[in-house]
């Protein structure tokens, strides 16, 4: 199918051939990271590439669709680029300090000798597909209207607020872990007092903002990306992977769960009353 003309780009931001090219590009990126991981058999090297892969989807789609980065497109690209770079640096630093991720180690042990090739599909290419879907609002924004409308401005401000909130939460946790006196303790100060996962909440707010910028051009379908990332944060990262492992290693974390909101920041008193009503005490 031919690429739509520039006159149609303000109302039609999803171009099939550029979108497929973006999917191929992010798949190739993750395949290269998979090949690099074979040396040390450490699949957690993929984590710093998560944000980069998402931004790459939007960039490849915009270039292939012939959508110059200016105006609103450029503003969204800069904010998303800053988010991806900060996240990559944070996850890389965490990997250097804490070593391989326990989640990937458990998967490798469960699959044995077949892990080296199965990891390509169950970790790397799967994350490439997920990154492509999550990137839908970014893809739409970087290929949509260049006009900075009130909704675009609201989206940009929301994305920046989420970016700052996530960055501060990650920084507070990193500082807490860096203090030897906090070994085995649970972080319950700063942004972590009123939310067990303020960094994940900040990321959700960031993607809400990017989605608003996409919707400003009528790309309602891009909300699928926001729905997916929010679901992953709430039902995969928070409950299944993060809290399950922490609770088994830190008994005090159970009390923290009983008194603190899991996601949306809430005062302790309100969170405690809500959790008690939900039968989580």
């Amino acid at each position: 199918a031919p690429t739509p003309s520039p006159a149609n780009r303000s109302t039609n931001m999803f171009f099939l051939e550029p979108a497929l090219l973006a999917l191929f590009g992010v798949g190739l990126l993750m395949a290269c990271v998979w090949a690099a991981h074979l040396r040390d058999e450490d699949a957690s090297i993929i984590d710093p590439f998560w944000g980069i892969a998402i931004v790459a989807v939007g960039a490849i789609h915009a270039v292939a669709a012939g959508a110059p980065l200016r105006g609103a497109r450029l503003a969204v690209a800069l904010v998303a680029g800053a988010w991806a770079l900060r996240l990559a640096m944070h996850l890389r630093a965490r990997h250097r300090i804490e070593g391989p991720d326990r989640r990937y180690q458990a998967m490798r042990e469960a699959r044995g000798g077949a892990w080296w090739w199965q990891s390509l599909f169950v970790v790397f290419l799967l994350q490439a597909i997920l990154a492509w879907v999550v990137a839908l609002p970014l893809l739409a924004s970087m290929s949509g209207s260049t006009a900075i409308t009130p909704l675009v401005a609201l989206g940009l401000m929301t994305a920046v607020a989420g970016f700052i909130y996530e960055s501060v939460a990650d920084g507070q946790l990193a500082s807490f872990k860096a203090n030897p006196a906090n070994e085995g303790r649970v972080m319950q100060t700063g942004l972590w007092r009123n939310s067990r996962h303020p960094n994940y909440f900040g990321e959700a707010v960031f993607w809400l903002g990017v989605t608003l910028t996409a919707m400003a051009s009528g790309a309602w379908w891009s909300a699928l990306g926001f729905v997916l990332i929010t679901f992953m944060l709430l039902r995969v990262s928070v409950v299944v992977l993060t809290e399950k492992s922490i609770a088994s290693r830190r008994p005090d974390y159970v009390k923290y769960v009983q008194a603190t909101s899991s996601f949306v920041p809430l005062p302790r008193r309100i969170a405690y009353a809500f959790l008690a009503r939900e039968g989580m005490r």
Side-chain angles (χ1 to χ4, degrees), residues 227-244:
V227 171
L228 176 60
I229 189 62
T230 303
F231 174 81
M232 290 169 59
L233 292 171
L234 286 172
R235 297 302 179 185
V236 179
S237 296
V238 173
V239 177
V240 177
L241 299 177
T242 305
E243 296 205 334
K244 183 178 180 180

Side-chain angles (χ1 to χ4, degrees), residues 111-122:
R111 294 176 182 270
W115 170 250
W116 75 271
W117 65 268
Q118 290 183 0
S119 60
L120 173 63
F121 301 96
V122 301

